[in-house]
Amino acid sequence: MPIITDSATRRLPLSEDEIGPRQPGALYQNATGAFEVLVLITDPREAAQLLRRDSARWAVIVRDVLRADGEPFVTGAVWTSEDRLVRPGRTTDAFAPAA
């Protein structure tokens, strides 16, 4: 588990349980919508700035795919038992091999 430093310079583990399976390209659904993960931010400084919360350690930029006018937005909501993975995220390779 990687170690990150928050704004108070304390060392805290990045909780993969909080992020869940939300990697770029993943699609997940909950009671509020169905969301495609566009970006996963694990830099605490950037996450804190985007979420306007000093305590933020990570953030996700998502888009609600059920809304025709779904604009990307940032969230720091933790993964819960109410969230359901519809499609896993892409591989980390820049270009996936052709089938």
Side-chain angles (χ1 to χ4, degrees), residues 46-61:
E46 187 177 351
Q49 182 179 17
L50 287 169
L51 291 169
R52 298 182 183 130
R53 271 195 329 238
D54 289 341
S55 62
R57 297 183 293 156
W58 56 270
V60 218
I61 298 176

Side-chain angles (χ1 to χ4, degrees), residues 7-19:
S7 60
T9 67
R10 292 176 289 150
R11 293 176 66 77
L12 298 170
L14 177 61
S15 177
E16 293 174 9
D17 291 337
E18 291 177 353
I19 297 170

Side-chain angles (χ1 to χ4, degrees), residues 28-64:
Y28 70 98
Q29 189 170 11
N30 59 31
T32 61
F35 306 96
E36 178 183 20
V37 177
L38 303 174
V39 180
L40 170 62
I41 296 131
T42 56
D43 175 22
R45 288 184 187 125
E46 187 177 351
Q49 182 179 17
L50 287 169
L51 291 169
R52 298 182 183 130
R53 271 195 329 238
D54 289 341
S55 62
R57 297 183 293 156
W58 56 270
V60 218
I61 298 176
V62 298
R63 179 179 64 88
D64 190 340

